[in-house]
Amino acid sequence: MKAKKYSEEQIIGALQEVDRGSKVADVCRRAGVSKVTFYRWKAKFSGMQVSDAKRLRQLEDENRRLKHLVADLTLEKQALMAALGKKW
């Protein structure tokens, strides 16, 4: 089954509902997620506002892109060193 994708607003809204006094089980049932997912959200997004969460996602995407670039450049470097021989 394909995982549902929740927006930052939905995640933070669910966390704020529990902060206001709703039960975790009720919020999880309404959101359609398990308690494990809820507590994973809480560990990651606790105390954040929506703008903070969006910035976090942007930074994670940028970090992922940069890691791919470094990996590609490392592979190219290794291929060039192998082609030149063991002079280095």
Side-chain angles (χ1 to χ4, degrees):
M1 181 183 341
K2 185 177 178 183
K4 294 180 182 177
K5 183 125 180 171
Y6 293 91
S7 68
E8 291 87 2
E9 294 90 0
Q10 291 172 320
I11 293 170
I12 291 175
L15 293 174
Q16 288 175 348
E17 275 188 61
V18 171
D19 289 342
R20 287 188 294 250
S22 297
K23 292 183 179 180
V24 173
D26 294 337
V27 172
C28 290
R29 191 175 331 109
R30 280 194 297 266
V33 297
S34 68
K35 287 184 181 179
V36 174
T37 301
F38 176 82
Y39 286 115
R40 191 175 303 133
W41 287 351
K42 186 175 181 179
K44 187 173 182 179
F45 295 104
S46 181
M48 286 188 185
Q49 298 298 320
V50 175
S51 60
D52 298 336
K54 286 184 179 183
R55 180 68 180 144
L56 175 65
R57 182 159 299 181
Q58 288 174 347
L59 290 172
E60 287 173 343
D61 289 342
E62 182 181 1
N63 192 24
R64 188 177 309 108
R65 185 181 59 80
L66 292 173
K67 282 183 179 183
H68 283 289
L69 286 173
V70 168
D72 289 342
L73 290 173
T74 302
L75 286 173
E76 288 178 20
K77 178 185 173 199
Q78 288 175 351
L80 288 173
M81 289 181 73
L84 291 175
K86 305 245 184 220
K87 295 180 184 177
W88 304 99

